[in-house]
Each structure stands twice: as structure tokens, then as C-alpha cells.
């Protein structure tokens, strides 16, 4: 798996729904409407398939537990004590332990996964979260054939439907290669900034302080504030080599040189490169790869400009460069490295 799928919080309602579906499947074959309802429930939340698996195993395990004959009543069979459709979660009937019922449960999950992979969309929602750890970028394959390369320490939430292809960049940055589908534009939501494309390649970076940077490598994208989008405001269109910087209350557009565009993607080759970058921005990048976070001892240091090229595996070299080339002091304080101005 390319990204770690984060656990979703359990809710009593989801637990009850999982129990309902296990009981219903145990009662007999599902009709077409029930199969659609099950598929919709499975696709509605990334935790639902796991819940169904867990409760199916509990149901099967409990069905093999021995019960005294007297407790069951004379002549009683396990099937007579099975919960009815929609009934309470009481005692398993035992049928789910059979190979046939386990096959039916597996088929339900396969149907859900097939819907996830369908490029054309099926009317079902697709919800999942992909997160990369510190130090490790990873590719993420999306349900429509699009692809994302997530930088280290980044989180992407996928929210697809039959009418919409949308992902939410919750932290970090991602390079998006979008499969063409004019009926469903591809959208990246980052805070209050929305990036829309049909088929293109672009980088989205979520910076500190609510700042978002969008760089286009192929095709054309549209960028606008989400508050303005429903009102029909015209978005800003970006072509190859253009960069939009979206900050609270404003959006700026500039033309980026090829060298600068290449530096932004140096992490794909295990490098971090700066050219007159602010120290604050540089630390954002380096901290994606540093097991021990690096902090500023004072906010004023964040405006200092730094340049250089470093391996993502050698953040200690970056720290030594700050000490030797920029006159900063690097000290360990608790669980972080702290930068301060060296005394004269």
C-alpha cells in the first residue's frame, strides 16, 4: 500500500449498522436493492468494511461456542435462536461459519472494492485518508486513474462521487497527475482555496499560516477562493510555469523559472533545494524529513534567506550549514533543535 490509511473513529451507529448487515447476510441472499444499500454503506466510510469484517468474525466465532443442551431448551436447534432480520445482536445462528456465508461476505467486500476502482463512477461515495510519515514520500493511486505523489509528512483525504472528483490536502504537499474526465473536473481543496483541473499535472503546497502555493507543470488549472466560487466569481487561470500564492484575503500570480520549478520537486530525487528561500519556509521542508523537529528561537529569524542543496537523509548537514554559513546557534531543547542568533 502506498499510503497509510488512517483509522476512522468508531460510532455506536456504525457498530449497529455492521451488526445489522451481518445478521441480514446470515438470514439469506440479499435482493438487488439490499445489495446496493450494502455497497453504499461500505463505500460511505473507510471504517465500514473493517467493521463488517470484525463483526462477521465475531459472529462466526460465537457460532462455534458450545452451549449446554438444557440452556437451549429441549429439542431446540441453534437455528431457532437466530436473530430475525433487523433484530438485536444476540446469539449467532452458526450459518456464517459455513464456507458459503464467508464467501458471501467476501463477495460483498469485492463488490465494494470494484466500485472504488471504477473510473466512470457508480454513484457511490469514495472516502479514504492517505498519510505519509516523516521522511517518506509515497505515491497514491486515485479511484479514477489519477495519481498523486505525496511528499513526506502529508495527508490527503479522498472524497469522490459520481458527480465530483475531489481530494482535500489536509497538510503537506502533493504533485497531482490528473486523468481526463470532462464530465467530472478534478478538484483539490486546501483550506479556503480550490484548485480545479480536467487533465493536467500540478503541485499544491499547504504552507504555514494558511498560505497555499499552486504550480502548474502541464495543462491549465483554475484557482479561486471557495467562498467566491458558489457566487460565480471568475477563477484565476494558470498555465504551464505559472504559480499562484493564495493567502488569507489575497491571491498573487507569478511566472516561475524552470530551475525554480525543478527545485520544488527535488524531494522526488531525495534532495531539498533552496534559492534565497526564507528560513521559515526552509524549515517547513526540512522538518518533513527530520526525526527531531527544528524550531526557530525567535520569529525574526524566519525572514533570513538561505540557499543550498541537501539530501533528505542528511538533515544534520543542513544544521551544520546554518551554524557555519549563517552564524546561527543550534541547540537541543527537549524534543527539538532550536535555532538562535549566535552571540557576536
Amino acid at each position: 500500500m502506498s499510503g497509510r490509511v488512517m483509522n476512522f473513529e468508531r460510532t455506536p451507529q456504525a457498530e449497529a449498522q455492521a451488526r445489522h448487515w451481518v445478521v441480514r447476510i446470515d438470514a439469506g441472499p440479499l435482493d438487488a436493492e439490499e445489495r446496493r444499500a450494502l455497497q453504499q454503506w461500505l463505500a460511505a466510510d473507510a471504517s465500514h468494511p473493517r467493521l463488517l469484517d470484525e463483526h462477521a468474525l465475531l459472529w462466526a466465532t460465537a457460532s462455534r461456542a458450545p452451549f449446554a443442551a438444557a440452556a437451549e431448551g429441549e429439542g431446540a436447534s441453534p437455528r431457532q435462536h437466530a436473530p430475525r432480520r433487523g433484530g438485536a445482536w444476540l446469539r449467532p445462528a452458526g450459518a456464517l461459519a459455513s464456507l458459503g456465508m464467508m464467501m458471501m461476505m467476501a463477495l460483498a467486500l469485492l463488490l465494494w472494492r470494484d466500485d472504488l476502482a471504477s473510473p466512470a463512477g457508480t454513484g457511490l461515495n469514495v472516502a479514504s485518508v492517505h498519510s505519509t510519515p516523516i521522511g517518506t514520500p509515497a505515491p497514491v493511486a486515485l479511484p479514477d486513474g489519477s495519481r498523486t505523489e505525496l511528499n513526506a509528512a502529508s495527508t490527503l483525504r479522498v472524497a469522490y462521487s459520481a458527480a465530483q472528483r475531489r481530494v482535500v490536502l489536509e497538510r503537506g504537499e502533493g504533485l497531482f497527475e490528473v486523468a481526463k474526465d470532462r464530465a467530472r473536473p478534478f478538484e483539490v481543496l486546501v483550506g479556503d482555496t480550490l484548485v480545479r483541473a480536467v487533465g493536467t499535472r500540478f503541485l499544491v503546497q499547504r504552507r504555514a499560516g494558511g498560505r497555499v502555493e499552486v504550480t502548474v507543470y502541464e495543462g491549465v488549472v483554475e484557482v479561486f477562493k471557495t467562498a467566491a466560487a458558489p457566487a460565480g466569481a471568475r477563477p484565476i487561470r494558470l498555465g504551464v510555469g505559472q504559480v499562484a500564492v493564495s493567502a488569507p484575503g489575497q491571491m498573487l500570480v507569478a511566472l516561475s523559472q524552470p530551475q525554480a520549478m525543478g527545485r520544488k520537486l527535488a524531494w522526488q530525487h531525495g534532495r531539498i533545494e533552496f534559492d534565497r528561500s526564507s528560513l521559515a519556509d526552509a524549515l517547513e521542508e526540512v522538518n518533513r524529513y527530520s526525526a527531531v523537529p527544528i524550531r526557530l528561537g525567535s520569529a525574526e529569524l524566519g525572514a533570513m534567506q538561505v540557499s543550498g542543496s541537501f539530501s533528505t537523509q542528511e538533515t544534520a548537514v543542513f544544521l551544520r550549514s546554518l551554524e557555519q554559513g549563517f552564524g546561527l546557534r543550534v541547540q537541543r531543547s527537549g524534543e527539538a533543535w532550536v535555532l538562535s542568533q549566535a552571540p557576536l
Side-chain angles (χ1 to χ4, degrees), residues 52-67:
L52 191 64
D53 277 340
E54 290 177 0
H55 284 288
L57 288 173
L58 288 172
W59 187 255
T61 301
S63 73
R64 295 191 294 271
F67 293 95

Side-chain angles (χ1 to χ4, degrees), residues 129-198:
V129 175
H130 302 269
S131 188
T132 53
I134 290 174
T136 308
V140 176
L142 298 173
D144 63 323
S146 297
R147 171 187 168 90
T148 301
E149 184 80 17
L150 283 182
N151 200 350
S154 299
T155 299
L156 185 75
R157 178 159 53 89
V158 180
Y160 273 38
S161 70
Q164 184 180 60
R165 297 184 293 167
R166 174 173 287 188
V167 297
V168 181
L169 187 63
E170 297 185 342
R171 65 172 182 145
E173 62 183 280
L175 178 67
F176 298 90
E177 297 183 16
V178 179
K180 287 183 169 58
D181 184 349
R182 295 190 177 279
R184 292 192 307 164
F186 184 90
E187 297 178 339
V188 182
L189 182 63
V190 196
D192 67 348
T193 301
L194 187 69
V195 186
R196 178 177 292 161
V198 172

Side-chain angles (χ1 to χ4, degrees), residues 22 26 54-68 72 77-79 81-83 89-99 101-102:
V22 173
D26 190 27
E54 290 177 0
H55 284 288
L57 288 173
L58 288 172
W59 187 255
T61 301
S63 73
R64 295 191 294 271
F67 293 95
E72 296 294 343
S77 66
R79 190 68 188 173
H81 291 277
W89 183 247
L90 297 174
R91 182 173 297 159
L96 192 60
S98 69
L99 177 62
M101 291 309 297
M102 293 301 288

